[in-house]
Structures are given as C-alpha cells and as structure tokens.
Short mmCIF file of all heavy atoms in Angstrom, two decimals:
data_model
loop_
_atom_site.label_atom_id
_atom_site.label_comp_id
_atom_site.label_asym_id
_atom_site.label_seq_id
_atom_site.Cartn_x
_atom_site.Cartn_y
_atom_site.Cartn_z
N ASN A 999 -28.61 -143.50 55.30
CA ASN A 999 -29.03 -142.45 54.49
C ASN A 999 -29.28 -141.17 55.28
O ASN A 999 -29.85 -141.25 56.37
CB ASN A 999 -30.32 -142.85 53.78
CG ASN A 999 -30.13 -143.92 52.72
OD1 ASN A 999 -29.45 -143.70 51.72
ND2 ASN A 999 -30.68 -145.12 52.93
N TYR A 1000 -28.83 -140.04 54.77
CA TYR A 1000 -28.98 -138.80 55.40
C TYR A 1000 -29.82 -137.86 54.49
O TYR A 1000 -29.82 -137.93 53.26
CB TYR A 1000 -27.62 -138.11 55.61
CG TYR A 1000 -26.77 -138.81 56.55
CD1 TYR A 1000 -25.73 -139.66 56.12
CD2 TYR A 1000 -26.91 -138.65 57.97
CE1 TYR A 1000 -24.92 -140.30 57.05
CE2 TYR A 1000 -26.06 -139.23 58.90
CZ TYR A 1000 -25.08 -140.07 58.40
OH TYR A 1000 -24.24 -140.73 59.30
N ALA A 1001 -30.61 -137.03 55.15
CA ALA A 1001 -31.30 -135.95 54.43
C ALA A 1001 -30.22 -135.08 53.80
O ALA A 1001 -29.12 -134.84 54.41
CB ALA A 1001 -32.19 -135.19 55.35
N ASP A 1002 -30.51 -134.56 52.62
CA ASP A 1002 -29.52 -133.67 51.93
C ASP A 1002 -29.13 -132.47 52.83
O ASP A 1002 -28.00 -132.04 52.84
CB ASP A 1002 -30.11 -133.15 50.61
CG ASP A 1002 -30.15 -134.22 49.62
OD1 ASP A 1002 -29.48 -135.28 49.75
OD2 ASP A 1002 -30.91 -134.06 48.61
N SER A 1003 -30.10 -132.04 53.62
CA SER A 1003 -29.83 -130.82 54.43
C SER A 1003 -28.87 -131.02 55.55
O SER A 1003 -28.37 -130.03 56.07
CB SER A 1003 -31.20 -130.28 54.95
OG SER A 1003 -31.83 -131.32 55.77
N VAL A 1004 -28.55 -132.29 55.91
CA VAL A 1004 -27.69 -132.52 57.05
C VAL A 1004 -26.42 -133.29 56.60
O VAL A 1004 -25.57 -133.56 57.43
CB VAL A 1004 -28.48 -133.31 58.17
CG1 VAL A 1004 -29.70 -132.55 58.58
CG2 VAL A 1004 -28.72 -134.74 57.76
N LYS A 1005 -26.35 -133.70 55.37
CA LYS A 1005 -25.19 -134.41 54.94
C LYS A 1005 -23.86 -133.69 55.26
O LYS A 1005 -23.81 -132.47 55.11
CB LYS A 1005 -25.26 -134.72 53.39
CG LYS A 1005 -26.17 -135.92 53.08
CD LYS A 1005 -26.16 -136.11 51.56
CE LYS A 1005 -27.06 -137.29 51.21
NZ LYS A 1005 -27.19 -137.48 49.75
N ASP A 1006 -22.86 -134.42 55.65
CA ASP A 1006 -21.57 -133.80 56.02
C ASP A 1006 -21.59 -133.07 57.32
O ASP A 1006 -20.55 -132.50 57.72
CB ASP A 1006 -20.98 -133.00 54.88
CG ASP A 1006 -20.85 -133.76 53.61
OD1 ASP A 1006 -20.50 -134.91 53.69
OD2 ASP A 1006 -21.10 -133.15 52.53
N ARG A 1007 -22.75 -132.96 57.97
CA ARG A 1007 -22.78 -132.25 59.25
C ARG A 1007 -23.29 -133.16 60.39
O ARG A 1007 -22.85 -133.00 61.55
CB ARG A 1007 -23.76 -131.11 59.19
CG ARG A 1007 -23.30 -129.94 58.15
CD ARG A 1007 -24.22 -128.79 58.29
NE ARG A 1007 -25.57 -129.00 58.04
CZ ARG A 1007 -26.61 -128.72 58.97
NH1 ARG A 1007 -26.29 -128.32 60.17
NH2 ARG A 1007 -27.85 -128.97 58.61
N PHE A 1008 -24.13 -134.13 60.05
CA PHE A 1008 -24.66 -135.04 61.06
C PHE A 1008 -24.13 -136.46 60.79
O PHE A 1008 -23.96 -136.82 59.69
CB PHE A 1008 -26.25 -135.11 60.97
CG PHE A 1008 -26.90 -133.87 61.44
CD1 PHE A 1008 -26.27 -132.63 61.67
CD2 PHE A 1008 -28.33 -133.85 61.59
CE1 PHE A 1008 -26.91 -131.50 62.07
CE2 PHE A 1008 -29.00 -132.75 62.05
CZ PHE A 1008 -28.29 -131.58 62.29
N THR A 1009 -24.01 -137.18 61.92
CA THR A 1009 -23.55 -138.54 61.81
C THR A 1009 -24.37 -139.48 62.78
O THR A 1009 -24.43 -139.14 63.95
CB THR A 1009 -22.05 -138.71 62.12
OG1 THR A 1009 -21.29 -137.88 61.31
CG2 THR A 1009 -21.65 -140.14 61.97
N ILE A 1010 -24.90 -140.56 62.23
CA ILE A 1010 -25.67 -141.46 62.98
C ILE A 1010 -24.70 -142.59 63.31
O ILE A 1010 -23.98 -143.06 62.44
CB ILE A 1010 -26.95 -141.93 62.31
CG1 ILE A 1010 -27.80 -142.82 63.24
CG2 ILE A 1010 -26.65 -142.64 61.01
CD1 ILE A 1010 -29.14 -143.18 62.67
N SER A 1011 -24.81 -143.09 64.55
CA SER A 1011 -23.96 -144.27 64.94
C SER A 1011 -24.70 -145.05 66.08
O SER A 1011 -25.72 -144.52 66.58
CB SER A 1011 -22.58 -143.79 65.43
OG SER A 1011 -22.70 -143.02 66.61
N ARG A 1012 -24.22 -146.17 66.35
CA ARG A 1012 -24.89 -146.93 67.44
C ARG A 1012 -23.85 -147.74 68.23
O ARG A 1012 -22.87 -148.15 67.63
CB ARG A 1012 -25.97 -147.86 66.90
CG ARG A 1012 -25.54 -148.87 65.89
CD ARG A 1012 -26.89 -149.38 65.32
NE ARG A 1012 -26.60 -150.66 64.62
CZ ARG A 1012 -27.57 -151.30 63.98
NH1 ARG A 1012 -28.79 -150.81 63.79
NH2 ARG A 1012 -27.33 -152.46 63.36
N ASP A 1013 -24.16 -147.91 69.47
CA ASP A 1013 -23.39 -148.72 70.37
C ASP A 1013 -24.25 -149.89 70.75
O ASP A 1013 -25.18 -149.76 71.56
CB ASP A 1013 -23.01 -147.86 71.65
CG ASP A 1013 -22.08 -148.65 72.62
OD1 ASP A 1013 -22.20 -149.90 72.61
OD2 ASP A 1013 -21.35 -148.01 73.30
N ASN A 1014 -24.00 -151.04 70.12
CA ASN A 1014 -24.85 -152.19 70.31
C ASN A 1014 -24.83 -152.68 71.77
O ASN A 1014 -25.78 -153.18 72.29
CB ASN A 1014 -24.50 -153.28 69.37
CG ASN A 1014 -24.67 -152.89 67.88
OD1 ASN A 1014 -25.64 -152.17 67.59
ND2 ASN A 1014 -23.84 -153.34 67.07
N ALA A 1015 -23.71 -152.56 72.39
CA ALA A 1015 -23.58 -153.02 73.75
C ALA A 1015 -24.42 -152.23 74.66
O ALA A 1015 -24.88 -152.74 75.74
CB ALA A 1015 -22.12 -152.94 74.26
N LYS A 1016 -24.74 -150.98 74.38
CA LYS A 1016 -25.52 -150.06 75.23
C LYS A 1016 -26.90 -149.95 74.67
O LYS A 1016 -27.68 -149.20 75.20
CB LYS A 1016 -24.86 -148.74 75.34
CG LYS A 1016 -23.50 -148.72 76.05
CD LYS A 1016 -22.96 -147.33 76.21
CE LYS A 1016 -21.63 -147.35 76.92
NZ LYS A 1016 -21.08 -145.96 77.09
N ASN A 1017 -27.22 -150.60 73.56
CA ASN A 1017 -28.57 -150.53 72.94
C ASN A 1017 -28.97 -149.08 72.62
O ASN A 1017 -30.04 -148.62 72.85
CB ASN A 1017 -29.67 -151.13 73.78
CG ASN A 1017 -29.56 -152.59 73.95
OD1 ASN A 1017 -28.94 -153.29 73.11
ND2 ASN A 1017 -29.96 -153.13 75.08
N THR A 1018 -27.91 -148.33 72.20
CA THR A 1018 -28.14 -146.84 72.04
C THR A 1018 -27.71 -146.37 70.71
O THR A 1018 -26.74 -146.92 70.08
CB THR A 1018 -27.24 -146.08 73.05
OG1 THR A 1018 -27.67 -146.47 74.41
CG2 THR A 1018 -27.35 -144.61 72.95
N VAL A 1019 -28.43 -145.50 70.09
CA VAL A 1019 -28.21 -144.89 68.83
C VAL A 1019 -27.90 -143.41 69.07
O VAL A 1019 -28.62 -142.75 69.97
CB VAL A 1019 -29.39 -145.05 67.83
CG1 VAL A 1019 -29.09 -144.37 66.53
CG2 VAL A 1019 -29.68 -146.51 67.68
N TYR A 1020 -26.92 -142.93 68.41
CA TYR A 1020 -26.57 -141.48 68.65
C TYR A 1020 -26.77 -140.71 67.27
O TYR A 1020 -26.73 -141.24 66.16
CB TYR A 1020 -25.11 -141.43 69.00
CG TYR A 1020 -24.71 -142.18 70.23
CD1 TYR A 1020 -24.11 -143.44 70.09
CD2 TYR A 1020 -24.90 -141.63 71.50
CE1 TYR A 1020 -23.77 -144.17 71.23
CE2 TYR A 1020 -24.59 -142.33 72.65
CZ TYR A 1020 -24.00 -143.62 72.50
OH TYR A 1020 -23.68 -144.23 73.64
N LEU A 1021 -26.97 -139.37 67.51
CA LEU A 1021 -26.87 -138.51 66.32
C LEU A 1021 -25.93 -137.35 66.70
O LEU A 1021 -26.26 -136.51 67.54
CB LEU A 1021 -28.26 -137.96 65.98
CG LEU A 1021 -28.32 -137.06 64.81
CD1 LEU A 1021 -28.03 -137.94 63.52
CD2 LEU A 1021 -29.72 -136.36 64.63
N GLN A 1022 -24.80 -137.36 66.10
CA GLN A 1022 -23.80 -136.36 66.35
C GLN A 1022 -24.11 -135.22 65.31
O GLN A 1022 -24.08 -135.44 64.15
CB GLN A 1022 -22.39 -136.81 66.14
CG GLN A 1022 -21.32 -135.76 66.30
CD GLN A 1022 -21.25 -135.21 67.73
OE1 GLN A 1022 -21.13 -135.99 68.62
NE2 GLN A 1022 -21.17 -133.94 67.88
N MET A 1023 -24.38 -134.04 65.85
CA MET A 1023 -24.75 -132.89 64.99
C MET A 1023 -23.67 -131.81 65.09
O MET A 1023 -23.38 -131.39 66.25
CB MET A 1023 -26.14 -132.33 65.38
CG MET A 1023 -27.22 -133.44 65.45
SD MET A 1023 -28.87 -132.77 65.72
CE MET A 1023 -28.62 -132.22 67.39
N SER A 1024 -23.13 -131.39 63.99
CA SER A 1024 -22.09 -130.34 64.00
C SER A 1024 -22.48 -129.28 63.03
O SER A 1024 -23.42 -129.42 62.18
CB SER A 1024 -20.76 -130.93 63.54
OG SER A 1024 -20.40 -132.04 64.42
N SER A 1025 -21.81 -128.13 63.14
CA SER A 1025 -22.11 -126.99 62.29
C SER A 1025 -23.57 -126.70 62.22
O SER A 1025 -24.25 -126.53 61.22
CB SER A 1025 -21.55 -127.24 60.84
OG SER A 1025 -20.20 -127.50 60.91
N LEU A 1026 -24.19 -126.66 63.41
CA LEU A 1026 -25.69 -126.49 63.51
C LEU A 1026 -26.09 -125.11 62.98
O LEU A 1026 -25.40 -124.10 63.17
CB LEU A 1026 -26.08 -126.69 64.91
CG LEU A 1026 -26.14 -128.19 65.37
CD1 LEU A 1026 -26.16 -128.30 66.83
CD2 LEU A 1026 -27.41 -128.90 64.75
N LYS A 1027 -27.23 -125.12 62.39
CA LYS A 1027 -27.83 -123.93 61.80
C LYS A 1027 -29.16 -123.66 62.48
O LYS A 1027 -29.87 -124.60 62.96
CB LYS A 1027 -28.03 -124.08 60.33
CG LYS A 1027 -26.79 -124.49 59.54
CD LYS A 1027 -27.13 -124.79 58.11
CE LYS A 1027 -25.95 -125.24 57.36
NZ LYS A 1027 -26.23 -125.51 55.89
N PRO A 1028 -29.63 -122.40 62.44
CA PRO A 1028 -30.99 -122.13 63.01
C PRO A 1028 -32.08 -122.98 62.43
O PRO A 1028 -33.00 -123.34 63.14
CB PRO A 1028 -31.21 -120.61 62.73
CG PRO A 1028 -29.77 -120.09 62.67
CD PRO A 1028 -28.91 -121.14 62.09
N GLU A 1029 -31.92 -123.32 61.15
CA GLU A 1029 -32.98 -124.11 60.50
C GLU A 1029 -32.93 -125.61 60.98
O GLU A 1029 -33.81 -126.37 60.62
CB GLU A 1029 -32.85 -124.11 58.92
CG GLU A 1029 -31.46 -124.36 58.44
CD GLU A 1029 -30.68 -123.06 58.23
OE1 GLU A 1029 -30.66 -122.13 59.01
OE2 GLU A 1029 -30.00 -122.99 57.10
N ASP A 1030 -32.00 -125.97 61.81
CA ASP A 1030 -31.96 -127.31 62.39
C ASP A 1030 -32.85 -127.33 63.67
O ASP A 1030 -33.02 -128.39 64.21
CB ASP A 1030 -30.52 -127.71 62.76
CG ASP A 1030 -29.62 -127.90 61.55
OD1 ASP A 1030 -30.11 -128.49 60.54
OD2 ASP A 1030 -28.51 -127.52 61.62
N THR A 1031 -33.39 -126.22 64.06
CA THR A 1031 -34.19 -126.15 65.24
C THR A 1031 -35.47 -126.99 65.02
O THR A 1031 -36.20 -126.82 64.05
CB THR A 1031 -34.64 -124.68 65.52
OG1 THR A 1031 -33.42 -123.98 65.95
CG2 THR A 1031 -35.62 -124.63 66.65
#
C-alpha cells in the first residue's frame, strides 16, 4: 500500500538475501522533504 501522495512515484521493494528494504523515490517534489 502506498500513500496517495506518492503513488506512481515511489516503489518499495526488498532483498531478502540482504535483509534489506528499499524505497525508490522518483519525480521528487519539495513536499516530499
């Protein structure tokens, strides 16, 4: 689930082998600060 304000711009993913979760953020806006 994504917040409406970040849909189609942010992507959450995870690498289980590395025990790591990522947040890829694109088309960033000042309000994302």
Side-chain angles (χ1 to χ4, degrees):
N999 290 293
Y1000 294 99
D1002 287 343
S1003 59
V1004 307
K1005 279 181 181 177
D1006 300 323
R1007 298 190 299 121
F1008 289 11
T1009 303
I1010 187 171
S1011 62
R1012 61 191 197 187
D1013 185 331
N1014 296 324
K1016 296 182 178 180
N1017 296 331
T1018 300
V1019 179
Y1020 302 99
L1021 185 68
Q1022 178 66 48
M1023 306 184 294
S1024 303
S1025 302
L1026 283 161
K1027 305 175 182 180
E1029 51 263 44
D1030 294 318
T1031 295

